[in-house]
Amino acid sequence: MSRIPLHTLPSFRVIARTGNLRAAAEELHLTHSAISQQLKLLESQLGFELFDRRARRIVLNPAGSALLAAIGPALDQIDAGVRSAAAAGAGAQQRLRVSALPSFTQRWLLPRMGDWRARHPDVALEIHASQQVIDLQREGFHAALRQGSGRWRGLQADRLIASPKVLLGSPEAAQRLLGRDAAALAHEPLLGHADVWERWFALSGLKLRVNPVAAFNDAGLMLQAAEQNLGITLSREVLAADALRDGRLVRLSTLALPDDDVDAYWLVYSPTLHDWPPIKALRAWLLEHLERSRDACAQADAPPVTPAARRAAADRTGSRSPSRSAAPTSRRAR
């Protein structure tokens, strides 16, 4: 086999992603003829075809898929090295583009951005808040802060923290519920989804059907509603860490819905960027501050709701559902 023409590999990667020679040519600012010739040259030097031609599209064949899997990480690493070199040569800041959930960005990340800036003035964070799981390479992002199982194809995922769902309310709600048992919560205005609440009540020994007063597609909004004493909620502990510390929210019970790794938070990025200094710095900084948040939550005041005898609670509530109307929502608060 002759030596592979390396200059054709970036074009091959774009062709594979777009599935169209004309679209790839436009993205690379080349003519259709030029990118077609590059592909022909690469296939000629390799001695086999990389794509199946289907009408107006071309699709990777098994050989092309194998080649892309082999060269993709190397090209990513070269791109990252060029960006770092350009920033160093110009004496400019490096930019670290990160996708993150809106709730995590609003409730946890933004309050700590000043510390990041003080520690890493040479690395500017560019945050894109979205609930969508985006293609990092295609959209030009270096990393993402995601919630889930930690399995995303082609990406490395570093586990940051598991955050159980805990029972939270305003100081006024905490005062009102002082000394009460879990059954009393069924008559409170509940924020969130019914099935989550029913799981929590089952954990406390109560089999109830509930009808929350409102549901949200964003956990940050739900926590804000709880802070304004519009109801009590079950939310991820890490998102409430600052509100617990400041007394804007109170943990109402020791019972929590465990998530283990199913809904843990992860730092996700291309494996080729594992040792890239900005990613290493971000990983270490996140782990440090999340550990602080975990400690702050552990030191929160004792919950006011007592673990009542289950039989007595069941006798008082039975299986009746509080009569409330639920606000419609299309997505879960995350």
Side-chain angles (χ1 to χ4, degrees), residues 127-298:
I127 305 298
H128 173 73
S130 173
Q131 292 189 350
Q132 302 300 318
V133 178
I134 63 173
D135 185 316
L136 297 183
Q137 179 180 328
R138 184 177 63 195
E139 301 296 333
F141 286 90
H142 301 106
L145 294 168
R146 291 181 180 171
Q147 187 183 344
S149 64
R151 293 185 293 273
W152 291 278
R153 180 177 298 180
L155 297 174
Q156 179 162 335
D158 295 339
R159 185 178 180 278
L160 297 174
I161 189 173
S163 187
K165 286 188 174 180
V166 297
L167 183 61
L168 302 165
S170 66
E172 293 84 356
Q175 183 64 35
R176 184 170 63 250
L177 293 167
L178 185 63
R180 307 290 297 279
D181 56 36
L185 301 176
H187 303 286
E188 289 288 310
L190 307 179
L191 305 175
H193 289 269
D195 61 329
V196 177
W197 275 105
E198 287 166 8
R199 284 174 53 208
W200 186 90
F201 279 116
L203 193 65
S204 71
L206 300 171
K207 187 176 181 180
L208 298 176
R209 293 185 63 82
V210 301
N211 200 8
V213 299
F216 301 83
N217 72 339
D218 181 84
L221 294 176
M222 187 164 62
L223 286 167
Q224 187 174 347
E227 288 181 16
Q228 295 176 8
N229 199 30
L230 299 180
I232 61 176
T233 187
L234 288 162
S235 182
R236 304 195 184 283
E237 188 176 54
V238 67
L239 300 181
D242 293 347
L244 286 169
R245 180 198 63 204
D246 299 340
R248 290 178 281 124
L249 286 174
V250 177
R251 184 167 176 173
L252 302 177
S253 172
T254 57
L255 290 176
L257 288 176
D259 281 324
D260 300 322
D261 282 345
V262 176
D263 278 323
Y265 288 93
W266 305 79
L267 175 64
V268 181
Y269 52 89
S270 168
T272 62
L273 297 180
H274 182 268
D275 294 322
W276 189 39
I279 290 290
K280 291 175 66 175
L282 180 63
R283 182 169 54 235
W285 182 82
L286 287 168
L287 289 170
E288 176 187 340
H289 279 276
L290 285 166
E291 184 63 28
R292 292 184 187 179
S293 294
R294 195 196 328 258
D295 291 344
C297 290

